[in-house]
Amino acid sequence: MNAIAQAAATVANPITCTLDFEQDGVQHGFLKLPYSRDDSAWGAVMIPLTVVRNGNGPTALLTGGNHGDEYEGPVALSKLAQQLQPEQVNGRVIIVPFMNTPAFQAGTRTSPIDRGNLNRSFPGRPDGSVTEKIADYFRRTLLPLADIVLDIHSGGRTLDFLPFAACHVLPDKAQQARCEAGMQAFAAPYSMRMLELDAQAMYDTAAEEQGKVFITTELGGGGTSTAKSVALAERGVRNVLIHAGILAGEVEQGETTLLDMPDGDCFIASEHDGLLEMCRDLGETVSQGEVIARIHDIRRTGSAPVEYRARRDGLLAARHFPGLVQCGDTLAVIADVLA
């Protein structure tokens, strides 16, 4: 641990919780983060949360709105917070539907306060920016309470995904097996062993480094949700809670296709600005060398488009969503089909 990290570890986080995590029953309240600004000198960022507890069973930490333009998690978890009763629960469920509340309220991936991407801000800092303070509180206060963590994502405004639950390849194979079991219990149409291009500052990594069972999802995209994607989220949340022994009942099984993202060749990134023409659709099988997308010049007519080709055989699992792209954007992700 470097000197800066050591100093931060001794600083108390300014976030306070209006709830008692050890109290049985249903509680609705806030994580309160002081935030002085032009329109509220002694104001605060108020992050809603619900705690449902009944006895000393396992704890599930359920989060949505890690990115503010992804909606399946916020909808499904808001409904769960309204409906879940203590007599249904063995243990404790901590529900945070709008994890990065400033970003969620703005409908943006990152916070309008400090442009912080919460899922790239861990381990966070108690004396840092608003986003870093939220990350630090989750790492030092909420994650240690949890046995199993479910963080619900979709593609937001700039990506669209096949609906999948995911886990990561981990050095601890016993921990990875527990995460894979949770991923399978979610019972999404697809299950992904996911490669992250940069996992160093992610919520996922913070949870996994604490030995937690961590499950995430990508359930659609385009900056909206659908009836089908919300239903998948609701069923998946219930399945994970049953799998963890927190809710009674049987996991509602569904057919799932196991996918893998083993290396960087899965990702096709744009090296041009322009108009995107997708040549294959989500869920279609593609072959190495096949044209996946074309980018057309929007500054002049008569120019041939640039073609982007698959670097592997597989299934088109993700695609860029808006019709215009810029250099550096991910155009497509091609996953291996394992089973």
Side-chain angles (χ1 to χ4, degrees), residues 16 21 50 82 146 173 195 217 221 319:
T16 56
F21 291 111
T50 293
Q82 298 166 29
K173 295 308 175 185
L195 169 70
T217 72
R319 55 151 292 180

Short mmCIF file of all heavy atoms in Angstrom, two decimals, residues 16 21 50 82 146 173 195 217 221 319:
data_model
loop_
_atom_site.label_atom_id
_atom_site.label_comp_id
_atom_site.label_asym_id
_atom_site.label_seq_id
_atom_site.Cartn_x
_atom_site.Cartn_y
_atom_site.Cartn_z
N THR A 16 -22.70 9.02 6.18
CA THR A 16 -23.39 8.37 7.30
C THR A 16 -24.64 7.69 6.77
O THR A 16 -25.21 8.10 5.77
CB THR A 16 -23.78 9.39 8.38
OG1 THR A 16 -24.59 10.42 7.79
CG2 THR A 16 -22.55 10.00 9.02
N PHE A 21 -27.95 -1.35 10.28
CA PHE A 21 -27.80 -2.60 9.53
C PHE A 21 -28.08 -3.83 10.38
O PHE A 21 -28.32 -4.91 9.85
CB PHE A 21 -26.39 -2.69 8.93
CG PHE A 21 -26.13 -1.71 7.83
CD1 PHE A 21 -25.24 -0.67 8.02
CD2 PHE A 21 -26.78 -1.81 6.61
CE1 PHE A 21 -24.99 0.25 7.01
CE2 PHE A 21 -26.54 -0.90 5.60
CZ PHE A 21 -25.64 0.14 5.80
N THR A 50 -32.45 0.44 1.08
CA THR A 50 -33.37 -0.33 1.91
C THR A 50 -32.62 -1.50 2.52
O THR A 50 -31.78 -2.13 1.85
CB THR A 50 -34.55 -0.85 1.08
OG1 THR A 50 -35.35 0.25 0.65
CG2 THR A 50 -35.43 -1.81 1.88
N GLN A 82 -39.84 -2.16 -2.42
CA GLN A 82 -41.25 -1.94 -2.07
C GLN A 82 -41.90 -3.22 -1.53
O GLN A 82 -42.78 -3.16 -0.67
CB GLN A 82 -42.04 -1.47 -3.28
CG GLN A 82 -41.62 -0.15 -3.89
CD GLN A 82 -42.24 0.04 -5.25
OE1 GLN A 82 -43.33 -0.46 -5.54
NE2 GLN A 82 -41.55 0.76 -6.13
N ALA A 146 -21.30 -8.11 3.30
CA ALA A 146 -21.96 -8.98 2.33
C ALA A 146 -21.28 -10.33 2.20
O ALA A 146 -20.06 -10.45 2.32
CB ALA A 146 -22.00 -8.29 0.97
N LYS A 173 -9.62 -20.45 -7.54
CA LYS A 173 -10.58 -21.22 -8.34
C LYS A 173 -11.79 -21.64 -7.53
O LYS A 173 -12.88 -21.83 -8.08
CB LYS A 173 -9.89 -22.44 -8.97
CG LYS A 173 -8.83 -22.06 -9.98
CD LYS A 173 -9.38 -21.08 -11.03
CE LYS A 173 -8.33 -20.58 -11.99
NZ LYS A 173 -8.86 -19.55 -12.93
N LEU A 195 -14.10 -11.01 -19.68
CA LEU A 195 -12.81 -10.36 -19.64
C LEU A 195 -13.03 -8.85 -19.56
O LEU A 195 -13.76 -8.28 -20.37
CB LEU A 195 -12.01 -10.69 -20.91
CG LEU A 195 -10.73 -9.88 -21.13
CD1 LEU A 195 -9.68 -10.28 -20.12
CD2 LEU A 195 -10.21 -10.06 -22.55
N THR A 217 -24.15 -8.31 -14.49
CA THR A 217 -24.98 -8.58 -15.66
C THR A 217 -24.73 -7.53 -16.73
O THR A 217 -24.21 -6.45 -16.46
CB THR A 217 -26.49 -8.55 -15.34
OG1 THR A 217 -26.89 -7.19 -15.11
CG2 THR A 217 -26.84 -9.40 -14.14
N GLY A 221 -29.42 -2.50 -23.37
CA GLY A 221 -28.68 -1.27 -23.59
C GLY A 221 -29.50 -0.23 -24.30
O GLY A 221 -30.74 -0.27 -24.32
N ARG A 319 -22.63 -4.71 -29.23
CA ARG A 319 -22.40 -3.81 -30.36
C ARG A 319 -22.53 -2.37 -29.90
O ARG A 319 -23.21 -2.07 -28.90
CB ARG A 319 -23.40 -4.07 -31.48
CG ARG A 319 -24.86 -3.99 -31.05
CD ARG A 319 -25.76 -3.55 -32.19
NE ARG A 319 -25.53 -2.16 -32.56
CZ ARG A 319 -26.19 -1.54 -33.54
NH1 ARG A 319 -27.12 -2.17 -34.21
NH2 ARG A 319 -25.92 -0.27 -33.82
#
